[in-house]
Amino acid sequence: MSTSAASPTPSTGESHHSDAHGASESAVHVQDLHKCYGDLEVLRGIDLDVAPGEVVCLIGPSGSGKSTLLRCLNLLETPQRGTISVGGYTVTDPELDVDAMRRRVGMVFQQFNLFPHLSVLENCTVAQVKVLKRPAAEAKRVALANLERVGLNEKASQRPAQLSGGQQQRVAIARALSMDPELMLFDEPTSALDPETVGDVLAIMRGLAADGMTMLVVTHEMSFARDVADRVVFMDGGVVVEQGPARDVIGAPQHHRTRAFLSRVLDPTAVAAPEQADDADAAPPAGDLTD
């Protein structure tokens, strides 16, 4: 279980690529990560490694720090302390080329974040042309291939407002894939969707996992986590409380806080008995942390 630790040895900042122990073997390497908003400590010493090709699902109650952790990985949030390595880049290096690092990382957000004034095809080509400097014809070819992959190539000329929420999220996935990422980050990609469209998005994600894409997924979809993830990480109160193979954590959790969370998620009508206040291994309360 990860808890707050002593301050790490300061980085020399001399290299854009990580020399941290274990980082070279990991697609993602996080060590002693802390993130605060004022006096509120949202991440309290997170340690996490994700191997190339591994699918890791982050689960836990709202306010546990899951989304904040995901956003720190590509510097949408700046941590106060700790080390992050993604794709060989030390994200926490002050000399980091942020654009170069982000070219390796695709992120799919809860609210799609498509450009409303652009067509579906343009949403999937604009970053290829501006960031990757691809010729327009090649960018179009790549975009159409990825739109076909998510089953939406016939929607290429439409605007996002003409699509359902599930279709918009599938376009967002195609847009991210069009940048040829080595790592995909999903921040609760189905939480804003109608229940009837959730399965379509999860099917795309299952296909990516089967193809060997490295994925870090914040989700409340326990069946997806159990069936697709190689590993499940349960967070609460800004720390990693429990992690392990998906079927072990979800099917036979060891920590009482994990058991309590899963019992409510898997059976929302159940009312759990209060935990003993003096439980020695109790996780810190989540409070009002930012998820």
Side-chain angles (χ1 to χ4, degrees):
M1 178 176 78
S2 295
T3 55
S4 295
S7 298
T9 302
S11 169
T12 63
E14 294 177 354
S15 172
H16 298 277
H17 295 273
S18 177
D19 294 325
H21 175 68
S24 60
E25 296 84 15
S26 301
V28 176
H29 174 72
V30 178
Q31 183 175 2
D32 192 35
L33 188 66
H34 292 255
K35 172 64 183 176
C36 302
Y37 297 104
D39 294 333
L40 182 63
E41 192 172 20
V42 179
L43 300 178
R44 304 167 57 190
I46 298 293
D47 296 326
L48 180 68
D49 280 278
V50 180
E54 188 177 23
V55 178
V56 175
C57 283
L58 302 176
I59 66 171
S62 296
S64 59
K66 308 180 302 295
S67 293
T68 300
L69 170 58
L70 215 64
R71 292 171 67 85
C72 284
L73 296 181
N74 61 0
L75 286 185
L76 293 176
E77 299 286 352
T78 304
Q80 275 73 32
R81 197 172 89 203
T83 300
I84 303 172
S85 173
V86 173
Y89 287 88
T90 302
V91 176
T92 42
D93 182 347
E95 302 297 322
L96 172 73
D97 183 340
V98 177
D99 291 336
M101 179 273 294
R102 285 179 175 163
R103 288 174 198 142
R104 297 187 168 198
V105 181
M107 187 159 185
V108 177
F109 299 89
Q110 188 173 340
Q111 296 294 339
F112 324 138
N113 289 8
L114 299 175
F115 296 114
H117 63 291
L118 299 180
S119 70
V120 165
L121 181 61
E122 290 167 337
N123 265 278
C124 294
T125 58
V126 62
Q128 293 187 66
V129 173
K130 292 183 178 294
V131 179
L132 299 184
K133 308 301 182 185
R134 278 182 179 155
E138 182 183 356
K140 180 178 179 179
R141 178 187 59 78
V142 171
L144 288 173
N146 282 300
L147 285 170
E148 184 174 7
R149 188 175 187 179
V150 301
L152 289 175
N153 54 323
E154 78 282 359
K155 304 290 187 181
S157 63
Q158 296 188 13
R159 297 286 178 90
Q162 298 174 278
L163 306 181
S164 70
Q167 289 172 331
Q168 290 186 60
Q169 192 63 291
R170 285 151 62 192
V171 171
I173 294 172
R175 178 179 62 179
L177 292 175
S178 294
M179 299 296 286
D180 298 330
E182 298 176 7
L183 167 69
M184 287 286 287
L185 306 176
F186 292 88
D187 188 8
E188 298 197 43
T190 61
S191 63
L193 302 183
D194 184 286
E196 291 185 346
T197 66
V198 167
D200 295 334
V201 173
L202 293 180
I204 301 299
M205 295 170 64
R206 287 173 185 265
L208 293 177
D211 290 342
M213 175 65 74
T214 307
M215 298 165 57
L216 196 55
V217 184
V218 173
T219 186
H220 292 293
E221 300 288 343
M222 294 302 115
S223 60
F224 174 85
R226 182 190 61 234
D227 296 341
V228 178
D230 298 297
R231 184 157 42 103
V232 166
V233 176
F234 174 70
M235 292 179 61
D236 191 23
V239 301
V240 174
V241 175
E242 181 173 350
Q243 63 176 303
R247 290 188 176 273
D248 291 350
V249 173
I250 294 177
Q254 299 301 302
H255 196 283
H256 76 86
R257 184 65 188 92
T258 317
R259 293 195 297 270
F261 169 77
L262 288 170
S263 70
R264 295 304 298 268
V265 171
L266 298 174
D267 186 4
T269 63
V271 179
E275 299 289 348
Q276 294 297 321
D278 59 351
D279 192 322
D281 66 349
D288 295 322
L289 302 183
T290 303
D291 194 15

